[in-house]
Structures are given as C-alpha cells and as structure tokens.
Amino acid sequence: MSTYFSAPLNLPTAYVSAFIALAAPEESAREGLSGEAQLGLDKVFEADGALSAQAQMLLAPIREDSTPLTQFALSPRYASSGVRRQCAFIAPGQSTILSSLKEPETTQVYLAQTHDVPQIVTEFSTFPSLKNRFDGPKRVPIEFIDAANSGDSLTAHDILLEELQISKKRSSFTRLVREKNWEYAVWTSWMRSPQGYHVHRSYTVLSVPWAAYLVSARTLPESYLTQSSNAPDFAHASGPVGDLEKCTRTELWAKLAPFVVP
C-alpha cells in the first residue's frame, strides 16, 4: 500500500540526527539517546518505549540505504532564514525524505515512492534555467562561501554584491544578484560506515535564473548528516577556493543523476 500521502512526522530539526541514528540495530530504540533527545523525539515512541508504527516505516529506508543524499540551498528569496535543507534515503519501493523548507526549526519526515525521488530532488532547487547566459564572475570571495555555508543569507548577499559591483558592475548576473534573485545550493552524496556518515562527493552551485556555476569549495554547510570530523574530506573540484566553472542544466543533472538513479 502506498504511504506517499500519509501525514508526515514533524520533528524538531535539532533532533533529526538522533532520529536517523534510531535506524541502527539496537536492543532498545532509546538506548544511547540523551534525556533531551528522548524528549525531543517523544512522539516517535509508544508509551511502553517501543517505536511507533509510523517511525518504524520511516526508519526502514534509512536502515537500508547506506548512500543518502543531502541538499542545502540558501537564497535571499526564501522566507524565514533563507535556508532550505533536505535529505533522501533511497530504497527499493519507498524512500524516506527529511525536509525543512519553510521553517528551519522543524523537519518533516515522510515516505515517498522511490520512482518519485528524482523529481523531489530536482524540484528542491528552482535554478538553474535553460538560458545559459554566462556573464558572471570567474570567482567569488571565500568569505561569501563561508557565510553561505553558515546559513547567513544576508551577509552572503552583501559580500557577493560588493564583489560584483567592483568586477562585473554592468552584467546581467550582477543585476539579478542585486535583485536578490540568486541561489547557492549544495548536493552531497554520503557513505555510511561503522564510524558514521562520510562524504563521498559533493557539488556546490551558484546560480541565477539565466546561468549556473560550479563553485570550488572546501567546506560543507551543516546538514542532517554533517560531522565536524569529516566535513572537509570530500572529493572536490580542482582549482583555488572560490573559482567558478560554467555549468549548463544538462551538465549539472548529469552529475547529480548517479545520486538518485541506481
């Protein structure tokens, strides 16, 4: 029976990592959880301490998929903090999606038909377009990357616009940035090991409605899986930090397809 339209489980974002950890085989689902995390995840347990039926269904794909995909996007166009996060655990039949699109403090966890996951992933980001009008800069300041990865859309916008007004004052890219019509997005594929999740490959993209650029980055934004010990160890593009590389929509989705298509 399809559960795609089942009501999602709403969890405090601060405890989503603890929820994911419940997929590990343990004698007691509560074992290893702090008292604070147990309170934050109270709705996933029955009165006797057993996992609820909904939680068990949501945890099944998490347990099965050892190579999840996380998505991060930042834009001054977005409501609230300007940040969106999503994570997909893809398994045969049904997959589990963790998504924080409107309010970063709350994450919705729901089941989706696996054949719908590519569409869910692509719809997360509305950029780039098909126009491929490349008149942006050759690089962006490291300070912009740091601000974007930290989720500070206002500071990231100010840094990017200041740099563009110096180097690309009359370009359409600068005009769109000035109108706050830009997006910074990161797609990351992870691999699970006994020590936790480790980055396999990551792509960072800066885009406006007319063009997209791959960003040479060395750090990742915080995600449901990020660990401070392994965040910098992913395979990245060559070149100095902040370098931009033109990327068409077709080229981008060709890179991302292996993340969601078996």
Side-chain angles (χ1 to χ4, degrees):
M1 179 180 67
S2 171
T3 55
Y4 182 84
F5 295 106
S6 298
L9 177 64
N10 293 302
L11 297 175
T13 298
Y15 303 117
V16 169
S17 294
F19 175 76
I20 293 172
L22 292 175
E26 293 182 357
E27 293 183 3
S28 171
R30 289 182 183 265
E31 185 178 348
L33 289 181
S34 67
E36 183 180 359
Q38 289 188 37
L39 289 174
L41 296 177
D42 185 64
K43 62 178 64 178
V44 310
F45 295 103
E46 302 288 2
D48 61 0
L51 285 167
S52 68
Q54 181 186 26
Q56 291 182 46
M57 288 191 297
L58 291 169
L59 289 169
I62 295 176
R63 186 176 297 113
E64 192 166 352
D65 182 18
S66 60
T67 57
L69 167 69
T70 59
Q71 296 173 269
F72 169 92
L74 175 135
S75 174
R77 298 181 302 119
Y78 298 154
S80 186
S81 68
V83 173
R84 306 172 73 187
R85 290 185 175 89
Q86 190 162 271
C87 179
F89 286 88
I90 305 170
Q94 291 184 322
S95 299
T96 296
I97 308 296
L98 304 98
S99 185
S100 179
L101 301 184
K102 295 181 180 179
E103 299 178 358
E105 296 81 12
T106 302
T107 294
Q108 290 191 329
V109 189
Y110 63 94
L111 286 176
Q113 297 297 324
T114 294
H115 59 72
D116 291 328
V117 172
Q119 181 178 350
I120 293 171
V121 169
T122 57
E123 288 181 348
F124 177 81
S125 170
T126 57
F127 292 163
S129 75
L130 295 172
K131 293 185 178 180
N132 297 326
R133 189 176 299 175
F134 298 108
D135 66 350
K138 294 183 178 180
R139 70 186 319 274
V140 292
I142 297 175
E143 292 78 10
F144 165 76
I145 297 175
D146 292 341
N149 282 340
S150 68
D152 189 343
S153 62
L154 296 179
T155 299
H157 174 78
D158 290 344
I159 293 172
L160 181 60
L161 183 58
E162 181 180 3
E163 177 71 15
L164 289 171
Q165 288 177 332
I166 296 173
S167 62
K168 285 282 185 178
K169 190 172 183 179
R170 299 182 182 277
S171 70
S172 60
F173 189 97
T174 301
R175 177 177 61 80
L176 290 165
V177 169
R178 186 180 297 112
E179 295 170 355
K180 298 185 177 181
N181 206 5
W182 61 269
E183 180 184 83
Y184 177 93
V186 184
W187 291 264
T188 305
S189 174
W190 300 76
M191 297 185 69
R192 186 171 62 217
S193 73
Q195 291 73 41
Y197 289 94
H198 299 268
V199 179
H200 174 239
R201 184 162 294 277
S202 186
Y203 294 104
T204 299
V205 175
L206 174 62
S207 57
V208 295
W210 289 351
Y213 299 82
L214 290 173
V215 182
S216 178
R218 297 294 186 273
T219 56
L220 291 177
E222 182 181 354
S223 77
Y224 300 120
L225 303 177
T226 299
Q227 299 179 16
S228 58
S229 62
N230 65 36
D233 67 357
F234 60 93
H236 48 67
S238 60
V241 176
D243 276 5
L244 300 187
E245 177 185 346
K246 298 176 183 178
C247 186
T248 68
R249 182 186 180 95
T250 301
E251 291 169 340
L252 175 59
W253 295 126
K255 294 178 182 294
L256 299 179
F259 291 177
V260 294
V261 179

